[in-house]
Amino acid sequence: MKTLKRMTALLLVAVMALTVASCGDVIQPGTQEHTTSGGGTYVPKSAKDLTAGVEPDPVKGAELTQSDIEALYDVYLKFFKSTVSDEKASSLISPLSIITALGMVADGADGETLAQFETLFGITAEQLDKAISFYSNSLSSTDKAKFESANSIWFTDRDDFKANEDYIARVLGAYFPSLYTVDFRKSATVDEINGWVSDHTDEMIDKIVDELNPLTVMVLINAIVFDAKWEQEYDEYQVGSEVFHAYDGTEQTIDMMHSMEDVYISMNNACGFAKYYSGNKYQFVALLPDEGIDIYDFVAGLDAGELKAALAKKMHTGVEAGLPKFSYDYDITLNSALQSLGLTDAFKPYAADFTKMATVDGENIYISKVIHKTHIDVDEDGTRAAAVTGIIMEATAVAVEPKWVVLDRPFVYMIVDSEYNLPIFMGIVTEIE
């Protein structure tokens, strides 16, 4: 099985196609080149910086409250459930990346469109700005457990396009994106966007778009990189061939990694374990439904409050854990999922209201397509994963009998931060290729 040189990259791209609008203060494209933060310096050749002369409006009183955490658990599970189908295929999303990109879009929404975003979030767009800004900045990053997040927004340089100054100040203060203006009619713009993507995913993802519709006026991107080694890596003797019982009933010979872990998780109809990454700031969490429970029924029945409580009340006891080596790619178009969750107007050319974001003479901004692509690679050393989403507008073991959790049938897994126990990645494994 071929492994990646880097670990986890997750990115969310939103390409917004415009069709009306009128709003208050506006600014024209700037002229200075922009230097990105995070993975290095990337300066698009023809793109111009839009931040010249604009003062960010810093998020005031940023924090992550208990009600924020509860809201995030709820919307994260909504994302997860709405993207898991009974197609017998493994899946993977990054709810943090999705919510970050949607948050940047919501800041430019108004009227019923904004109301639908906030109903989906469970909190106001302003509260989400504070929560995500604080949370993303609170996640640690080390040489052996790297976490980085970067955002960018690309605007058209059309003369009749005007970005709202208040929107830019707000999004800069909450999400710190790089802002560019480009000509979406030129093929070189596709190369520049893909160059930014490659730079901010440690070259794990070198392309997100093949081409752009000339009507495209905005592209919003969130990139998350997670690259971590296990706190206790597996030795060769801990890995052996075993059988994995796939969802379709077939038996697959796979490499199973065994270890003694000290965190056991118990739920009404499932059990699991947590395995820490280097530094104990992040953990891999696996949940194995009880025998006889269909994996899709388990996912459909997951309750945000129960999951939050289970992760918070982990039992510190010995666990004989079996974790298969696995690697797969997953992709899904999120339009239907988001619309089923109530975000409908944002996709309607004439009903969408993004007038707080920008204006185009005689046209209206709307979301035309949302694409999410991911990759995960789990082996003896740690975890490597990558994801791309495009919105197109365009403890100490106790002396007791050890528990047993061997992931030899379909299971749910998450990558969770240790302080807030919020999932960064959520997925299921139904088969091992």
Side-chain angles (χ1 to χ4, degrees):
M1 177 170 54
K2 185 178 180 180
T3 59
L4 298 176
K5 295 181 179 180
R6 300 287 192 275
M7 146 51 192
T8 307
L10 177 122
L11 85 74
L12 181 57
V13 176
V15 184
M16 306 172 100
L18 275 134
T19 27
V20 125
S22 65
C23 52
D25 296 332
V26 297
I27 62 174
Q28 297 291 349
T31 58
Q32 298 179 356
E33 291 186 333
H34 191 75
T35 300
T36 63
S37 60
T41 299
Y42 176 77
V43 181
K45 295 181 179 178
S46 65
K48 302 300 181 181
D49 183 19
L50 191 62
T51 59
V54 180
E55 290 294 329
D57 184 11
V59 173
K60 298 179 176 63
E63 58 182 342
L64 192 62
T65 67
Q66 200 58 40
S67 60
D68 291 335
I69 294 175
E70 292 171 358
L72 290 176
Y73 260 100
D74 187 60
V75 72
Y76 282 9
L77 267 184
K78 287 180 180 178
F79 290 156
F80 187 42
K81 291 180 180 182
S82 66
T83 56
V84 172
S85 65
D86 57 359
E87 297 177 349
K88 304 179 179 62
S90 302
S91 67
L92 173 66
I93 66 166
S94 171
L96 176 58
S97 182
I98 295 173
I99 200 73
T100 299
L102 290 179
M104 290 194 291
V105 175
D107 280 349
D110 204 1
E112 180 59 25
T113 303
L114 175 60
Q116 290 179 3
F117 272 105
E118 295 185 332
T119 297
L120 173 61
F121 299 153
I123 52 179
T124 67
E126 184 177 2
Q127 287 175 297
L128 181 69
D129 288 350
K130 293 179 180 180
I132 297 302
S133 177
F134 178 86
Y135 178 65
S136 296
N137 286 314
S138 72
L139 295 176
S140 66
S141 183
T142 65
D143 290 339
K144 292 187 176 181
K146 173 183 178 181
F147 175 88
E148 288 184 359
S149 180
N151 300 307
S152 66
I153 302 178
W154 306 67
F155 298 92
T156 180
D157 64 356
R158 285 168 48 178
D159 292 338
D160 59 349
F161 175 88
K162 298 179 177 63
N164 189 298
E165 186 178 62
D166 290 339
Y167 168 73
I168 291 180
R170 176 173 174 175
V171 79
L172 279 174
Y175 299 98
F176 307 99
S178 300
L179 304 177
Y180 301 111
T181 55
V182 291
D183 185 346
F184 287 115
R185 297 167 298 180
K186 294 182 177 180
S187 59
T189 298
V190 171
D191 295 334
E192 292 173 349
I193 291 175
N194 288 334
W196 190 95
V197 167
S198 178
D199 185 62
H200 287 83
T201 59
D202 291 348
E203 300 180 351
M204 292 177 56
I205 299 174
D206 61 4
K207 180 185 294 186
I208 182 57
V209 290
D210 292 316
E211 60 182 2
L212 291 170
N213 189 307
L215 296 177
T216 300
V217 294
M218 292 179 65
V219 176
L220 291 86
I221 305 174
N222 165 259
I224 295 176
V225 175
F226 179 73
D227 186 346
K229 300 292 186 182
W230 299 120
E231 179 68 17
Q232 294 294 329
E233 296 181 15
Y234 294 91
D235 290 323
E236 185 176 350
Y237 74 89
Q238 294 176 290
V239 184
S241 296
E242 294 188 24
V243 173
F244 183 86
H245 305 278
Y247 185 80
D248 63 5
T250 60
E251 294 185 346
Q252 301 172 319
T253 300
I254 54 91
D255 289 328
M256 185 72 77
M257 304 181 292
H258 283 276
S259 62
M260 174 63 78
E261 302 302 333
D262 56 12
V263 177
Y264 180 73
I265 299 171
S266 178
M267 299 181 69
N268 289 332
N269 53 1
C271 61
F273 64 88
K275 182 177 180 62
Y276 285 95
Y277 293 103
S278 179
N280 295 335
K281 296 297 184 180
Y282 300 97
Q283 52 194 292
F284 180 95
V285 173
L287 299 175
L288 182 68
D290 294 342
E291 286 275 11
I293 295 181
D294 183 275
I295 185 69
Y296 296 106
D297 291 339
F298 173 73
V299 170
L302 274 175
D303 176 78
E306 182 185 5
L307 178 61
K308 178 176 177 291
L311 296 181
K313 298 178 180 179
K314 296 185 288 286
M315 182 188 304
H316 294 282
T317 187
V319 184
E320 287 282 358
L323 171 62
K325 293 172 59 175
F326 64 93
S327 175
Y328 64 86
D329 297 290
Y330 177 74
D331 65 83
I332 185 174
T333 299
L334 295 175
N335 290 39
S336 296
L338 292 173
Q339 291 180 70
S340 71
L341 295 176
L343 194 63
T344 58
D345 283 11
F347 292 90
K348 297 178 180 178
Y350 301 106
D353 187 349
F354 291 103
T355 52
K356 291 169 60 179
M357 179 182 287
T359 64
V360 173
D361 293 346
E363 298 181 1
N364 191 52
I365 303 175
Y366 71 98
I367 299 174
S368 66
K369 194 172 185 179
V370 182
I371 304 169
H372 195 64
K373 296 183 179 181
T374 56
H375 173 87
I376 184 99
D377 189 354
V378 175
D379 60 20
E380 299 93 333
D381 298 325
T383 304
R384 291 157 293 281
V388 179
T389 309
I391 306 177
I392 303 180
M393 225 165 167
E394 317 204 355
T396 300
V398 295
V400 297
E401 187 70 15
K403 307 287 186 179
W404 286 80
V405 181
V406 178
L407 305 176
D408 61 355
R409 56 183 185 274
F411 61 94
V412 171
Y413 68 94
M414 293 170 279
I415 294 176
V416 181
D417 85 274
S418 299
E419 182 172 359
Y420 298 101
N421 285 316
L422 279 168
I424 297 174
F425 288 86
M426 302 176 74
I428 65 171
V429 171
T430 61
E431 60 182 0
I432 310 293
E433 296 185 358

